[in-house]
Amino acid sequence: MLLLRRGLSLKVLRKEVDRACFGEKAKQIMRPDDANVAGNVHGGTILKMIEEAGAIISTRHCNSQNGERCVAALARVERTDFLSPMCIGEVAHVSAEITYTSKHSVEVQVNVLSENILTGAKKLTNKATLWYVPLSLKNVDKVLEVPPVVYSRQEQEEEGRKRYEAQKLERMETKWRNGDIVQPVLNPEPNTVSYSQSSLIHLVGPSDCTLHGFVHGGVTMKLMDEVAGIVAARHCKTNIVTASVDAINFHDKIRKGFVITISGRMTFTSNKSMEIEVLVDADHVVDSSQKRYRAASAFFTYVSLSPEGRSLPVPQLVPETEDEKKRFEEGKGRYLQMKAKRQGHAEPQP
């Protein structure tokens, strides 16, 4: 929900639009439908707001010059941490800025602040980096070129290029290793992978899609967070909140009328956190000649909370099969790597 200004002259309005190509801001009050029973706003709701801001600013930029009209489609979301919970009644301030462009992609940085409208206090809840590609309105399978941006410092372009090359490599690696599917197991034991794994089947309707017939990235992320949340809640039987999301890779578009299966399974637990892998597969309902394909994948991290909002210990996952043990060790490696990174960034104590 963007706030639009009234009473602007055409000349001033054009200036506002020019600035909007490089910065986008939106505000939205959090309502009960946006939160869980404990009053914490769903991580998927915040991810959806982040993606909407990114889609607006990148689509505006990609159409800022004369040429074929296009719409920006989400290709990847880098790891994002949920730094502070947001609650019902607070106002979410979402700001987006273009930080790098390659020939065929746009990097957008998005920040989210929560505001207590009674006290005026604000706090940072999320920082996210998203990558978009411009798709032709005439043919959504055609990727167009991106207008370049002017950098204030040459180092900004060089740093952006390094980020672009790194995400491109990681995205390709993830696409090839995500070929497996989540299979149901009868009568699973508590604390096992099979006990908490969950799936959601969703028919993609018009309200889920852009005007051009493919699903909003934010809609997909919201559904992924819902499934991951169910897995986490089943495992620990407490109130849970999203702590972070590893890179979300969008491998292919999902079109209107397709059926998507969002599957989640526990991969790793530390003392106070749970890592859940979420896979999104798409099927054509009518055309059986089109094969099922992997549309998106990511790892979500959740924490367990007491009714007072304090962090609780997490029941330890019991991997049974060799694949589950392998995924557990891979998740442990990601956890230790991120823990070391956080400690390295921590300010030294006096």
Side-chain angles (χ1 to χ4, degrees), residues 19 80 303:
R19 283 198 291 269
T80 177
V303 293

Side-chain angles (χ1 to χ4, degrees), residues 207-338:
S207 62
D208 300 320
C209 298
T210 68
L211 296 176
H212 316 291
F214 57 88
V215 176
H216 288 286
V219 171
T220 304
M221 290 193 292
K222 190 172 188 296
L223 292 172
M224 294 172 76
D225 180 75
E226 287 179 7
V227 170
I230 292 171
V231 174
R234 279 180 169 173
H235 180 77
C236 61
K237 305 286 196 251
T238 61
N239 178 36
I240 48 88
V241 293
T242 314
S244 65
V245 184
D246 215 1
I248 304 177
N249 292 287
F250 291 83
H251 308 300
D252 208 339
K253 295 185 292 296
I254 305 170
R255 298 180 185 274
K256 182 173 63 178
F258 277 41
V259 168
I260 53 175
T261 302
I262 304 100
S263 303
R265 61 187 173 195
M266 192 81 63
T267 52
F268 171 76
T269 54
S270 67
N271 290 333
K272 291 189 177 181
S273 67
M274 301 161 277
E275 182 192 72
I276 296 106
E277 182 180 29
V278 183
L279 308 172
V280 181
D281 295 314
D283 287 290
H284 199 291
V285 178
V286 179
D287 189 355
S288 59
S289 65
Q290 295 194 29
K291 295 182 180 179
R292 179 175 176 145
Y293 62 91
R294 177 65 39 82
S297 58
F299 291 99
F300 286 68
T301 298
Y302 280 76
V303 293
S304 173
L305 297 180
S306 69
E308 295 76 30
R310 298 190 183 94
S311 179
L312 294 175
V314 170
Q316 292 305 289
L317 182 66
V318 181
E320 298 176 298
T321 68
E322 289 302 316
D323 284 342
E324 290 172 358
K325 293 175 182 178
K326 180 182 178 182
R327 286 193 291 268
F328 185 91
E329 291 302 318
E330 291 173 346
K332 183 178 180 180
R334 286 186 292 269
Y335 167 77
L336 293 175
Q337 185 179 26
M338 188 52 57

Side-chain angles (χ1 to χ4, degrees), residues 30-31 34-36 39-43 45-46 49 86-88:
M30 296 294 97
R31 304 184 183 279
D34 300 317
N36 60 19
N40 303 121
V41 174
H42 290 294
T45 299
I46 298 173
M49 290 190 296
M86 192 179 298
C87 301
I88 295 172

Side-chain angles (χ1 to χ4, degrees), residues 3-249:
L3 301 184
L4 303 179
R5 302 184 188 179
R6 296 182 180 178
L8 293 175
S9 68
L10 181 59
K11 184 176 180 180
V12 173
L13 182 59
R14 283 174 178 164
K15 289 183 179 179
E16 292 288 331
V17 171
D18 288 341
R19 283 198 291 269
C21 288
F22 302 96
E24 184 67 48
K25 294 184 178 181
K27 297 180 183 179
Q28 184 172 324
I29 191 166
M30 296 294 97
R31 304 184 183 279
D33 288 347
D34 300 317
N36 60 19
V37 292
N40 303 121
V41 174
H42 290 294
T45 299
I46 298 173
L47 289 171
K48 189 171 183 288
M49 290 190 296
I50 289 172
E51 196 279 329
E52 286 174 349
I56 292 172
I57 190 173
S58 52
T59 298
R60 278 179 171 166
H61 176 72
C62 292
N63 289 282
S64 60
Q65 296 183 359
N66 293 330
E68 192 171 344
R69 300 294 93 182
C70 62
V71 60
L74 183 62
R76 177 179 166 93
V77 182
E78 302 293 351
R79 177 185 172 89
T80 177
D81 294 310
F82 289 74
L83 306 173
S84 179
M86 192 179 298
C87 301
I88 295 172
E90 293 184 328
V91 173
H93 296 253
V94 185
S95 60
E97 180 183 6
I98 292 175
T99 49
Y100 177 76
T101 58
S102 69
K103 185 177 181 180
H104 296 294
S105 64
V106 181
E107 181 191 52
V108 180
Q109 299 281 350
V110 181
N111 290 339
V112 182
L113 295 173
S114 65
E115 177 193 2
N116 184 319
I117 54 178
L118 299 180
T119 65
K122 293 182 181 179
K123 56 187 176 182
L124 181 67
T125 64
N126 293 82
K127 297 175 69 175
T129 302
L130 303 89
W131 293 89
Y132 289 84
V133 293
L135 305 180
S136 168
L137 295 185
K138 297 179 181 178
N139 177 10
V140 293
D141 293 320
K142 178 183 177 183
V143 179
L144 301 180
E145 292 191 10
V146 175
V149 294
V150 178
Y151 302 96
S152 58
R153 295 181 295 107
Q154 186 175 356
E155 293 82 359
Q156 289 178 316
E157 183 175 8
E158 294 172 354
E159 292 166 358
R161 185 180 296 109
K162 290 179 182 178
R163 294 192 299 271
Y164 166 74
E165 295 295 341
Q167 66 85 26
K168 185 178 180 181
L169 180 61
E170 289 181 12
R171 190 162 169 258
M172 291 303 298
E173 290 177 349
T174 305
K175 184 174 183 179
W176 288 113
R177 71 171 180 259
N178 275 335
D180 56 343
I181 59 176
V182 177
Q183 298 286 1
V185 176
L186 295 177
N187 302 318
E189 293 293 325
N191 299 336
T192 62
V193 175
S194 302
Y195 183 80
S196 59
Q197 70 182 27
S198 303
S199 294
L200 183 154
I201 299 175
H202 179 75
L203 175 63
V204 177
S207 62
D208 300 320
C209 298
T210 68
L211 296 176
H212 316 291
F214 57 88
V215 176
H216 288 286
V219 171
T220 304
M221 290 193 292
K222 190 172 188 296
L223 292 172
M224 294 172 76
D225 180 75
E226 287 179 7
V227 170
I230 292 171
V231 174
R234 279 180 169 173
H235 180 77
C236 61
K237 305 286 196 251
T238 61
N239 178 36
I240 48 88
V241 293
T242 314
S244 65
V245 184
D246 215 1
I248 304 177
N249 292 287

